[in-house]
């Protein structure tokens, strides 16, 4: 739960951690990467999504 505690918007991690889905899809995620730095490897993944104009 280290990733949950360092996240400035911890509610965005609630669904991925509960479901086991590695993707954080919430628009409230600010993509700071703090969760990736402290979380166990391969629990969450960080990818850049293309802009849908």
């Amino acid at each position: 739960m280290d990733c949950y505690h360092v996240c400035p918007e911890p509610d965005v991690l609630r669904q991925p951690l509960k479901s086991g889905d590695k993707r954080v899809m919430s628009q409230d995620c600010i993509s700071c990467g703090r969760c990736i730095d402290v979380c166990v490897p391969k629990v969450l993944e960080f990818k850049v999504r293309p802009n849908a104009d």
Side-chain angles (χ1 to χ4, degrees):
M1 292 302 290
D2 288 338
C3 53
Y4 189 79
H5 294 294
V6 299
C7 182
E9 298 291 339
D11 286 338
V12 304
L13 296 177
R14 191 175 308 255
Q15 182 60 33
L17 292 175
K18 187 187 251 186
S19 69
D21 186 355
K22 297 178 186 183
R23 300 172 297 164
V24 177
M25 301 300 287
S26 172
Q27 301 255 339
D28 294 329
C29 178
I30 62 171
S31 302
C32 68
R34 292 178 191 172
C35 58
I36 301 298
D37 290 340
V38 299
C39 204
V40 177
K42 302 196 184 218
V43 170
L44 300 170
E45 51 180 52
F46 187 81
K47 292 182 181 179
V48 178
R49 292 186 298 213
N51 239 352
D53 292 330

